[in-house]
Each structure stands twice: as structure tokens, then as C-alpha cells.
């Protein structure tokens, strides 16, 4: 298991940008596929984006495709989520997730559902987009 800590959230106006970071502890970060989920008040946690352990494959929810970019720096044990053209409907608590992918090929990404990401989760960070 890895310990995950998110940072970079906050309040931004619609159309603005934020970059979330998720720092992981441990020496096996490069063995983990990493993902971002979010949960708005009164709604279920939903998948946002994911990246393979190698960084060579990425996947996005349709709602953020073209606006958000996920990346990782395995030397810094950190995954990022660059969020551009933010909308009020992006307001949510954002969670970082890690899934051990060491037994899979390097481009493997778990399915984009909550149950496929049983593993390590961060504590979450608030992102608020005002209209």
C-alpha cells in the first residue's frame, strides 16, 4: 500500500485552471496505476481520469476529456491533474487513488469504476468552481 496526499485544490472562477497533485509515499510508486475520482455533494464518487504505471496510457471520463490532463513523475512519486476550462459542475471533492499494477503490462489501466480501484486512497481535496 502507498499513502497518498492530495494538494492544489481551492476556489476558482469558471473558465479558470487548477493543478492537483497527489504525492505518494513508498518506493514502489512506479508499480501503481494512478487515478483521480471526484464526489459532489449528494452524488456518488465518479471516475475522472487514470494513468498507467508507465505513464504511457491515459484515460478520461467524457465529461472532462479535452479539458483535463493527467500526468505522473515517477522520480517524484507524484501524479498530477491539470484542470483547464473549469465549470461549476466540476465542483467536488477530488480523490487520488492507487492500484497495484505490478502484475500487469505497463500500459494497464484498471476499469473506470470505483470497485476496480480497491487499494489506496487519499483523503480528498475540495475544488470549487464559481459561476
Amino acid at each position: 500500500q502507498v499513502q497518498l496526499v492530495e494538494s492544489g485544490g481551492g476556489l476558482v472562477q469558471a473558465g479558470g485552471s487548477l493543478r492537483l497533485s497527489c504525492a505518494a509515499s513508498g518506493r514502489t510508486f512506479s508499480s501503481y496505476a494512478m487515478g483521480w475520482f471526484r464526489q459532489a455533494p449528494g452524488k456518488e464518487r465518479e471516475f475522472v481520469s487514470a494513468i498507467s504505471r508507465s505513464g504511457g496510457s491515459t484515460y478520461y471520463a467524457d465529461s472532462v476529456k479535452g479539458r483535463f490532463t493527467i500526468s505522473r513523475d515517477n522520480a517524484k512519486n507524484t501524479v498530477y491533474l491539470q484542470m483547464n476550462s473549469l465549470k461549476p459542475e466540476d465542483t467536488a471533492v477530488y480523490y487520488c487513488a492507487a492500484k497495484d499494477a505490478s502484475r500487469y503490462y505497463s500500459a494497464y489501466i484498471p476499469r473506470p469504476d470505483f470497485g476496480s480501484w480497491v487499494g489506496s486512497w487519499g483523503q480528498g481535496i475540495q475544488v470549487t468552481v464559481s459561476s
Side-chain angles (χ1 to χ4, degrees):
Q1 298 289 345
V2 292
Q3 304 297 317
L4 305 173
V5 178
E6 301 98 337
S7 61
L11 173 65
V12 64
Q13 289 188 332
S17 298
L18 282 175
R19 188 176 81 155
L20 303 183
S21 299
C22 173
S25 64
R27 293 175 289 181
T28 58
F29 178 72
S30 60
S31 298
Y32 287 81
M34 300 298 296
W36 289 95
F37 286 71
R38 66 187 181 186
Q39 188 167 16
K43 296 187 177 181
E44 294 185 351
R45 193 170 299 189
E46 65 173 3
F47 171 82
V48 175
S49 183
I51 188 167
S52 61
R53 60 183 175 90
S54 68
S57 295
T58 57
Y59 188 76
Y60 298 92
D62 288 343
S63 58
V64 306
K65 200 172 295 182
R67 299 187 298 121
F68 290 11
T69 302
I70 190 170
S71 61
R72 67 188 295 161
D73 185 337
N74 285 347
K76 295 183 178 179
N77 283 13
T78 302
V79 63
Y80 305 97
L81 186 68
Q82 178 66 44
M83 304 186 295
N84 298 329
S85 302
L86 283 161
K87 304 175 182 180
E89 51 262 44
D90 294 318
T91 295
V93 176
Y94 283 70
Y95 296 89
C96 177
K99 177 66 181 291
D100 186 354
S102 59
R103 298 183 179 182
Y104 299 90
Y105 56 97
S106 62
Y108 167 78
I109 294 179
R111 294 187 307 178
D113 58 83
F114 181 75
S116 295
W117 287 83
V118 174
S120 300
W121 288 83
Q123 80 286 353
I125 193 162
Q126 179 70 45
V127 171
T128 303
V129 184
S130 63
S131 57

